[in-house]
Amino acid sequence: SDLALAMRNVLSKLAMNKPQGENMTAANMFGVLTCISAVVSLPFALLVEGRALRAAWTSAAPTYSAGLSLLGKIGLTGLYFYGYSEVAMKALNNVHPVTHAIGNTLRRVIIMVICMLVFRTPMSVLGATGSFFAIAGSYNYAIVKTQEKREELKKRAEQAVPAAEELKTKIAEALPLQVSAAGERAA
């Protein structure tokens, strides 16, 4: 699931950088990808899980009214998840796919920690180790990205100084009169 999500994010980001049509925004791109995913996934889901569908539905909703209630909840869950995913796609439009994946991983860890505190859910050693590495990796990624930005800004500033000096020299050569710092004209 995580691998498929990461691949979807990378491929979506690549598609966002190329013009796809006159109205293919990040939200529209997500809508199209969702429709295509549903059309491709539904036959496989029915093939693999189709036999158990009736029994699962009957045990979850034994009466007609319970079935309607369950159907409504499934619909609302789908709408909520679609909204969440569309916001995530819009965020992906503004950040690098790796940054998006790190944020998504960190979000999962934070939700897990909050659930542990609120619902008193115990955490296994393996789960704690995984959470530690997810948080540590996110922190290290943030530190590296910040350092890269600082180095890029420093490099731009170093390139700007010679360009400004060159421009100052060209302006001084082009002007027929030069003015000293005291405001006196020099011949």
Side-chain angles (χ1 to χ4, degrees):
S1 161
D2 288 338
L3 178 61
L5 179 67
M7 286 176 47
R8 182 198 75 180
N9 290 341
V10 170
L11 294 174
S12 296
K13 184 70 173 188
L14 290 173
M16 285 179 200
N17 293 335
K18 298 176 188 172
Q20 301 291 328
E22 64 184 66
N23 195 23
M24 192 54 75
T25 62
N28 290 344
M29 173 69 76
F30 177 71
V32 168
L33 287 174
T34 300
C35 290
I36 291 171
S37 298
V39 167
V40 169
S41 300
L42 191 59
F44 291 111
L46 290 174
L47 182 69
V48 174
E49 302 288 339
R51 293 186 189 116
L53 181 62
R54 183 184 267 308
W57 185 267
T58 305
S59 69
T63 65
Y64 179 76
S65 62
L68 287 178
S69 175
L70 181 60
L71 203 54
K73 289 176 183 176
I74 290 171
L76 280 176
T77 301
L79 288 174
Y80 291 144
F81 187 74
Y82 182 87
Y84 156 75
S85 297
E86 187 169 330
V87 169
M89 187 63 70
K90 286 184 178 187
L92 178 62
N93 193 31
N94 296 320
V95 297
H96 192 273
V98 175
T99 304
H100 190 268
I102 294 292
N104 192 38
T105 301
L106 198 54
R107 174 191 59 85
R108 289 177 181 187
V109 170
I110 290 170
I111 289 172
M112 189 169 60
V113 169
I114 289 171
C115 288
M116 283 176 38
L117 295 174
V118 172
F119 302 117
R120 292 180 168 66
T121 306
M123 181 181 265
S124 68
V125 174
L126 187 60
T129 304
S131 296
F132 169 78
F133 281 115
I135 292 170
S138 298
Y139 176 75
N140 287 334
Y141 177 75
I143 295 296
V144 168
K145 285 302 260 185
T146 302
Q147 185 64 30
E148 285 177 355
K149 286 181 182 178
R150 284 183 186 156
E151 290 174 6
E152 179 66 28
L153 288 174
K154 184 179 177 183
K155 185 178 176 183
R156 286 183 186 177
E158 289 172 355
Q159 291 173 347
V161 171
E165 289 296 324
E166 183 181 337
L167 181 61
K168 184 178 174 183
T169 305
K170 287 182 179 181
I171 291 172
E173 291 172 356
L175 292 176
L177 297 175
Q178 293 192 5
V179 179
S180 69
E184 302 168 357
R185 290 185 177 181

